[in-house]
Amino acid sequence: NVSFGELQIPDEIPLQPEVPASAVFLGSLTTNSHGVRGFVFALDERTLMLTEFSYDGSAPAARFYAVRGDSVRSPEYWILRDENGSDEKLSEYANATIVITLPDEITVHTIDWFSVWCVQFNVSFGELQIPDEIPLQPEVPASAVFLGSLTTNSHGVQGNIFALDERTLMLTEFSYDGTAPAARFY
């Protein structure tokens, strides 16, 4: 038996929706340093929601950044205000759900990266490359709980897994190249 992709499902799943049904999952933040982690959703063209967001708060000048360009280090960027409307140094977060409004001049369609960026040291503590196509329409029922994304081991397997209830999983944005002779879901 060979696993082409997997996701470990936690023992306890809070089956209370935190994310609106109309939200579109953009991806998971990479964890580069300072404990940055979390999931990023687009609520609409100008609003991002971070769930299960963590950051240790210890960097001297960390901010939320939106970047346009081929790299998170591209010179065209915007410092984003936090959930309280402040553009000051970020404080500590532990599994927080926060909502960030993008500045008037940009939308989720015009940026390429979202980052927790240290202005003083010019480094990303965690980032997400924004997908090219973002279908801002409800696809997942309001009661669904996002469990995570499949790790890609081989055969191009990828996708996001949601719990619809205690016995039903929903797989979205699933890809698999179809070439394995006896692939199954387990």
Side-chain angles (χ1 to χ4, degrees):
N1 292 341
V2 175
S3 173
F4 301 140
E6 57 197 49
L7 170 73
Q8 183 173 356
I9 297 176
D11 292 335
E12 292 191 27
I13 301 168
L15 291 176
Q16 300 295 323
E18 292 183 24
V19 180
S22 60
V24 175
F25 177 66
L26 299 179
S28 302
L29 289 168
T30 61
T31 302
N32 296 334
S33 60
H34 288 279
V36 168
R37 67 176 181 78
F39 304 109
V40 182
F41 295 82
L43 298 184
D44 58 43
E45 289 191 338
R46 294 200 42 246
T47 312
L48 299 176
M49 174 183 257
L50 280 66
T51 63
E52 298 180 42
F53 176 65
S54 293
Y55 159 63
D56 70 11
S58 67
R63 307 287 196 289
F64 293 122
Y65 257 39
V67 181
R68 187 178 344 207
D70 294 337
S71 158
V72 73
R73 295 183 165 281
S74 293
E76 190 174 6
Y77 64 86
W78 294 262
I79 295 175
L80 305 178
R81 296 184 178 277
D82 67 15
E83 73 280 12
N84 298 312
S86 172
D87 62 1
E88 297 297 317
K89 168 188 178 304
L90 296 177
S91 59
E92 180 179 3
Y93 293 87
N95 281 332
T97 297
I98 62 173
V99 175
I100 298 171
T101 302
L102 300 176
D104 290 340
E105 63 271 16
I106 61 173
T107 70
V108 294
H109 301 291
T110 60
I111 61 174
D112 299 302
W113 297 87
F114 173 81
S115 175
V116 177
W117 186 266
C118 183
V119 177
Q120 183 172 338
F121 292 104
N122 211 24
V123 65
S124 175
F125 298 147
E127 73 269 346
L128 166 71
Q129 187 169 14
I130 305 294
D132 289 335
E133 304 222 0
I134 302 170
L136 290 173
Q137 301 173 36
E139 294 182 22
V140 179
S143 59
V145 174
F146 176 70
L147 299 177
S149 298
L150 291 167
T151 58
T152 302
N153 294 334
S154 62
H155 289 280
V157 169
Q158 63 183 16
N160 303 312
I161 299 179
F162 293 82
L164 299 183
D165 57 42
E166 291 180 0
R167 298 178 45 99
T168 310
L169 298 176
M170 179 179 187
L171 189 58
T172 64
E173 300 175 46
F174 178 69
S175 293
Y176 159 63
D177 69 9
T179 61
R184 305 274 190 277
F185 286 104
Y186 284 95

